[in-house]
Amino acid sequence: MPADDEPVDPKRHIEDNCKPKCVKSWVDYGKCIQRIKDDNTGHKHCTGQYFDYWSCVDQCVAPKLFRKLN
């Protein structure tokens, strides 16, 4: 089977279209990264902001992806 005939995962394309809708979460994550960049203790992190961003993306992607899979 040639490479051109391989199925394409639509999730990545849908994610790319959804990411601009989650820019506020992405900016919040970036601000957190800047705030903690000089922390050498390793105790500070931006896990919450990271998951907030991906939660926003997932909420946008899920209905579109499931419609394509049906």
Side-chain angles (χ1 to χ4, degrees):
M1 178 188 255
D4 292 341
D5 292 341
E6 291 184 21
V8 176
D9 182 3
K11 184 177 182 240
R12 183 157 305 211
H13 176 70
I14 296 170
E15 279 181 346
D16 289 343
N17 288 332
C18 284
K19 286 177 181 178
K21 296 175 183 171
C22 300
V23 72
K24 182 188 179 312
S25 298
W26 181 251
V27 169
D28 290 345
Y29 176 63
K31 287 178 182 177
C32 180
I33 294 294
Q34 290 302 312
R35 275 195 310 271
I36 69 164
K37 70 180 179 182
D38 294 327
D39 175 43
N40 294 325
T41 66
H43 294 289
K44 296 180 183 178
H45 56 82
C46 298
T47 306
Q49 291 83 353
Y50 180 81
F51 283 121
D52 287 346
Y53 171 69
W54 281 106
S55 176
C56 176
V57 173
D58 287 344
Q59 287 176 11
C60 174
V61 168
K64 294 173 176 75
L65 182 61
F66 286 116
R67 268 193 305 258
K68 276 193 172 281
L69 297 176
N70 284 336

